[in-house]
Amino acid sequence: QPLWVWGLQGNQGNKWLNGQVTVTSSSYYRIRIEGIVGNSFQGDAAIDDLRIFENPCVLTPPDADPFNVVPTTTSTKPTITNPPGPYDCTFETGICNGWENMANNRFNWTRVQASTVAAPEIDHTTNTVQGYFMQADLSKGRANDYARLKS
């Protein structure tokens, strides 16, 4: 079973939210990003600009605790100063090395261009409609169906 370390649910609005969490492990681990269809089939989940750092960080937003998930209105774009690592991904040139949809998904994460979807309206990386990101279209699933992207 996965150890959940970060989560948000509910309507987060039509904007990009910065999320970060520290993961500490002395052994090999994988990262799994999951979009789950809730009671409503409306909406989508999107990810962009995945970065993995060796330094600890502050849980952002602070209410992204998987045991105390409350919608947030915080929207920030961090300043990135470190060079990209081997598992970092902006999705501008494709699904990056080391990331893939899990085999037992009910539906998949799909790389989309901002100009072709209703929300988010712009790409987080380029801040334009020409950029790309990963999206899990929740309307393609039923309640409790999931789309999982793994490292």
Side-chain angles (χ1 to χ4, degrees):
Q1 284 290 36
L3 169 63
W4 297 107
V5 296
W6 192 97
L8 284 177
Q9 66 183 18
N11 186 348
Q12 302 300 311
N14 184 11
K15 62 186 175 294
W16 287 105
L17 300 174
N18 178 41
Q20 60 187 33
V21 66
T22 296
V23 177
T24 305
S25 177
S26 59
S27 61
Y28 177 81
Y29 65 91
R30 290 185 176 190
I31 296 172
R32 182 166 80 188
I33 298 168
E34 187 171 79
I36 302 174
V37 178
N39 295 330
S40 169
F41 296 11
Q42 298 175 347
D44 51 44
I47 56 173
D48 200 4
D49 298 331
L50 293 173
R51 299 292 309 256
I52 299 174
F53 299 100
E54 292 185 28
N55 303 327
C57 59
V58 175
L59 181 70
T60 304
D63 55 1
D65 182 331
F67 302 106
N68 184 27
V69 178
V70 178
T72 181
T73 57
T74 304
S75 180
T76 60
K77 185 171 182 177
T79 302
I80 298 173
T81 56
N82 295 359
Y87 296 104
D88 295 350
C89 190
T90 65
F91 303 105
E92 295 308 313
T93 59
I95 299 176
C96 302
N97 196 19
W99 292 95
E100 63 183 347
N101 277 295
M102 292 183 70
N104 61 346
N105 280 347
R106 303 286 197 262
F107 59 103
N108 284 325
W109 288 90
T110 306
R111 180 177 171 261
V112 296
Q113 189 170 30
S115 63
T116 66
V117 294
E121 294 176 350
I122 60 171
D123 173 57
H124 184 263
T125 308
T126 65
N127 208 31
T128 70
V129 296
Q130 283 76 39
Y132 291 84
F133 52 87
M134 295 296 284
Q135 181 184 59
D137 184 350
L138 303 181
S139 67
K140 295 188 179 195
R142 297 182 305 213
N144 298 316
D145 282 354
Y146 49 82
R148 294 176 175 156
L149 189 67
K150 71 175 182 173
S151 67

